[in-house]
Amino acid sequence: LTRTNLDPGERERLLNLRGPTVDKRLLIWRGALEMARQDPLLGKGLGTFAIFLPEVRSLKLAKYFPRNEYHVDHAVSEPMEVLAESGILGLIAWLMLMAAFIFGPLAAARKARDRDLGFLLLACSAGVLGMVAHGAVEVCLRFNPPMFMLWVLPGLALAATRAAGLEPARQHTVALDGWAKRLALSAVVGMALGLVFAYTLSDFVAGIHISRGKRALQNNDAAQAERDFARALATRRGSVEARYLRAFTLWKIGNLKEAEGEYRRVLATNPSYFDANHNLGRV
């Protein structure tokens, strides 16, 4: 930082531990802790951080958002968001899972006889540790690519553990008499997996459309953004985020009647959504 061509103001911002970047995070974390205080055991519910944070936010946080268009999607810290949405029990479960992903491969690496598999296990452990450490002060684990990597690394570690012969494969058999029972069991399992896949796929595709819409908004292309948010709603009708963003975009392009309708649909699902109530009033 001392030998780069950064301007003095930018260098001061990066080195100042009480500057806007850190101060904004601290204010958001304070709101997350207040949400956890209100519902300490089980939290506010998965995916509700953006909905309930405005109710407990500090007034100082609003100064970082021009024109009072306040909106925070995530806690800028995975443990904080897990605590706010899932409570103490959810945070304990999350920490135990991450500890298993980090220390499990590390313990197996010490016992591995094959040097290459040992290095692979060590790399998987270090990779998860790095992502968790980054996620403690960032929002990276809420994006699809790092989230995918977070699950791939333990999978590689498990495969390396089996390949090294450290964990012998176990055979599990289910005895069912007759083809009818087997067919019924296969149908139930297939339906369950199909529903999970369909829900996950629709959520993933809707997330892509939402990301494109946000990018279009940043480029001042409101018409394209509205189309992207509409596609997200067509893919996942229950997406409150997509409906809110579409209402916001409709408001920007002057379609107040349809914007009002979308805001009212958001509030029918989440009556306490602060930003939707505020923007509906402005519309």
Side-chain angles (χ1 to χ4, degrees), residues 184-195:
L185 180 63
S186 300
V188 171
V189 173
M191 289 172 59
L193 292 176
L195 288 173

Side-chain angles (χ1 to χ4, degrees), residues 23-71:
D23 200 34
K24 181 180 177 181
R25 277 171 167 75
L26 293 176
L27 291 171
I28 294 175
W29 294 347
R30 186 182 301 172
L33 290 174
E34 178 61 23
M35 290 168 61
R37 189 192 66 80
Q38 293 178 358
D39 294 278
L41 203 59
L42 297 176
K44 293 287 190 179
L46 296 178
T48 61
F49 186 85
I51 296 174
F52 289 104
L53 179 66
E55 298 180 2
V56 296
R57 68 173 179 177
S58 167
L59 293 177
K60 295 180 180 178
L61 189 58
K63 70 180 182 180
Y64 294 107
F65 299 88
R67 300 182 301 278
N68 201 27
E69 293 169 0
Y70 169 88
H71 192 71

